[in-house]
Amino acid sequence: MESELKDLAPKPAEPQPESDESPLLKSEAVSPAPQISISSQSIEEMEIKLYAPFVRHDVYGTMGRGKLPCTEKLLLGLGLVFLLPIRVVGGMTILFFYYVICRVCTAFLAPSREAEQEDYAHTGGWRRAVILQSGRYLSRAVLFVFGFYWISETRKGNVVDGQLNSEANEPAHEDQSEEVERPGAIVSNHVSYVDILYHMSASFPSFVAKRSVAKLPLVGLISKCLGCVYVQRESKSSDFKGVSGVVNERVREAHQNKSAPKIMLFPEGTTTNGDYLLPFKTGAFLAKAPVLPVILRYPYQRFSPAWDSISGVRHVILLLCQFVNHIEVTRLPIYHPSEQEKEDPKLYAENVRRLMAHEGNLILSDIGLAEKRVYHAALNGNISMPTVLHQKDD
């Protein structure tokens, strides 16, 4: 596989500024960074030259606040009156119904606990079977209610003597993609929160989530049934391994044990507009286990389902007011790392990234979450921004 990647030339990306390789010190330890004024014209220049992965190109424009034509206003009005209430009620009903299923299946059962993590994903027998199968079906039901009536899935290429034969395109089947060997992790580009619903409906894997998610009504119990790995930035426990250590163990466990919960990781660390692929963090590749790359695209004509530079509430409302939404899924073969890649997680991550960009027709970009925050600050009316960014780390 790695030999095939050497022939893949990176796709042309937007011109990028030279990055500062030295880490930025804490704000109180350095003098204030130089500030630059941001006008509407300079924001447009930033979108073209620097922040293209986060720019919206749909009818609703930047931040979903663009001036709408009369036809779109009429369609949006119809969606607000007829679609939005039905879809909100339908989605909440399915969520509550699945919560009841999870509550029944976990009744009188203590969660598995390890290193400040707790979950019900390691539960066996009928409890796990009911949680998993009902979770997959109901996740697909939520997608249907939200307007994703059809999902196009393709298994692209086959592994032949370590080479990718990209000419063979076949319909994707979950069992076929894993029948040779079980991957340690599923890795996917990240476009929207809808990604999570799709992956739940396809394979019901665990995700990495904030610690606060575990305490949310309804969603908290469901996240524990998924087996989510919770991010705890500060821990008082002396034996806490950190998120990286927990993820590493979960990847190995999923690879070696077929009954273990699968784990799904978004190595970009943030969402894009769906046309770009950001640098990968190495967390999914430290365990040296094979990974299953999955590429998601959201074709659209009016409103883009990508959650890039728009508020969450506005995005949900506009998404639910759109009559039909679309998902295109491309599943690549299980990627087996070479010995060199096993010893160099950054090389492993970059080779998988280049393969996904090549097969998914995505543009490689060198920017990440730090630049996204600067772009969002500018869009939200921050008239000045620091010219030095925090260094991105893995």
Side-chain angles (χ1 to χ4, degrees):
M1 179 70 74
E2 70 278 2
S3 60
E4 181 269 345
L5 285 169
K6 295 179 181 177
D7 298 328
L8 299 181
K11 297 182 180 298
E14 300 293 336
Q16 305 295 333
E18 294 183 2
S19 58
D20 187 355
E21 297 298 330
S22 59
L24 186 67
L25 299 176
K26 294 182 179 180
S27 57
E28 64 269 18
V30 296
S31 57
Q35 305 289 312
I36 62 174
S37 176
I38 299 178
S39 63
S40 59
Q41 181 179 3
S42 64
I43 290 180
E44 293 177 358
E45 293 175 354
M46 288 194 310
E47 291 179 341
I48 296 174
K49 297 180 180 179
L50 302 179
Y51 306 118
F54 313 121
V55 179
R56 299 187 66 82
H57 301 288
D58 60 10
V59 175
Y60 288 81
T62 302
M63 300 184 73
R65 299 177 180 176
K67 186 176 181 180
L68 300 178
C70 294
T71 303
E72 187 60 34
K73 291 180 179 179
L74 175 61
L75 293 175
L76 179 59
L78 293 174
L80 286 170
V81 174
F82 297 104
L83 286 180
L84 183 63
I86 295 174
R87 288 176 169 175
V88 169
V89 172
M92 291 302 298
T93 300
I94 295 174
L95 175 65
F96 182 76
F97 181 56
Y98 186 54
Y99 169 79
V100 173
I101 293 176
C102 292
R103 178 60 66 188
V104 171
C105 291
T106 58
F108 310 109
L109 189 67
S112 301
R113 297 179 181 273
E114 181 184 3
E116 296 190 5
Q117 303 289 328
E118 58 179 21
D119 65 76
Y120 293 101
H122 290 82
T123 303
W126 67 270
R127 297 172 185 264
R128 179 60 181 170
V130 172
I131 289 174
L132 193 152
Q133 293 301 325
S134 61
R136 292 181 62 175
Y137 291 134
L138 292 178
S139 297
R140 183 63 186 92
V142 172
L143 286 173
F144 187 87
V145 169
F146 286 1
F148 294 92
Y149 306 122
W150 305 277
I151 298 178
S152 173
E153 299 190 12
T154 303
R155 182 164 59 91
K156 191 170 185 178
N158 296 299
V159 175
V160 181
D161 296 330
Q163 301 294 323
L164 178 66
N165 178 14
S166 59
E167 297 179 357
N169 294 340
E170 303 175 8
H173 300 286
E174 183 70 17
D175 295 336
Q176 288 183 5
S177 64
E178 299 185 16
E179 62 185 6
V180 177
E181 184 177 1
R182 183 180 171 92
I186 304 170
V187 293
S188 172
N189 62 320
H190 202 7
V191 184
S192 173
Y193 50 82
V194 180
D195 302 351
I196 297 175
L197 282 173
Y198 166 74
H199 288 294
M200 287 178 63
S201 69
S203 53
F204 203 75
S206 304
F207 298 90
V208 175
K210 294 181 180 179
R211 167 62 63 179
S212 57
V213 171
K215 301 178 181 179
L216 293 176
L218 305 181
V219 176
L221 177 61
I222 294 175
S223 71
K224 293 178 183 179
C225 290
L226 276 165
C228 288
V229 177
Y230 299 112
V231 175
Q232 182 73 23
R233 294 188 178 276
E234 296 181 1
S235 175
K236 299 179 180 179
S237 175
S238 60
D239 61 348
F240 183 59
K241 306 172 185 177
V243 175
S244 179
V246 175
V247 169
N248 208 355
E249 288 190 0
R250 291 288 293 274
V251 171
R252 289 197 185 98
E253 180 187 22
H255 174 52
Q256 298 170 0
N257 184 0
K258 291 185 177 181
S259 63
K262 303 171 186 176
I263 186 164
M264 166 77 233
L265 297 168
F266 299 107
E268 292 174 283
T270 189
T271 55
T272 68
N273 58 19
D275 296 326
Y276 290 78
L277 203 59
L278 307 182
F280 280 6
K281 299 182 183 299
T282 57
F285 309 95
L286 293 172
K288 306 178 182 180
V291 297
L292 176 64
V294 178
I295 304 167
L296 302 181
R297 301 296 293 263
Y298 293 85
Y300 66 91
Q301 293 182 347
R302 296 167 50 214
F303 177 75
S304 170
W307 190 25
D308 34 38
S309 55
I310 181 173
S311 69
V313 174
R314 181 181 293 269
H315 187 279
V316 170
I317 292 175
L318 296 180
L319 179 72
L320 297 187
C321 288
Q322 187 155 249
F323 292 91
V324 181
N325 294 298
H326 301 276
I327 302 180
E328 292 180 354
V329 183
T330 302
R331 290 178 176 273
L332 301 183
I334 295 177
Y335 189 103
H336 298 267
S338 66
E339 291 301 321
Q340 183 180 6
E341 290 171 330
K342 289 180 180 179
E343 297 302 321
D344 187 350
K346 289 187 177 181
L347 175 65
Y348 185 8
E350 182 61 18
N351 284 347
V352 173
R353 174 177 176 249
R354 289 184 179 276
L355 176 64
M356 292 176 64
H358 179 267
E359 296 301 321
N361 195 28
L362 301 173
I363 302 172
L364 294 174
S365 175
D366 293 331
I367 66 176
L369 181 59
E371 290 84 352
K372 184 177 184 178
R373 287 171 175 166
V374 173
Y375 176 54
H376 282 193
L379 293 180
N380 285 316
N382 187 358
I383 61 174
S384 62
M385 70 176 185
T387 57
V388 181
L389 301 175
H390 287 279
Q391 181 189 32
K392 299 181 289 294
D393 60 65
D394 284 322

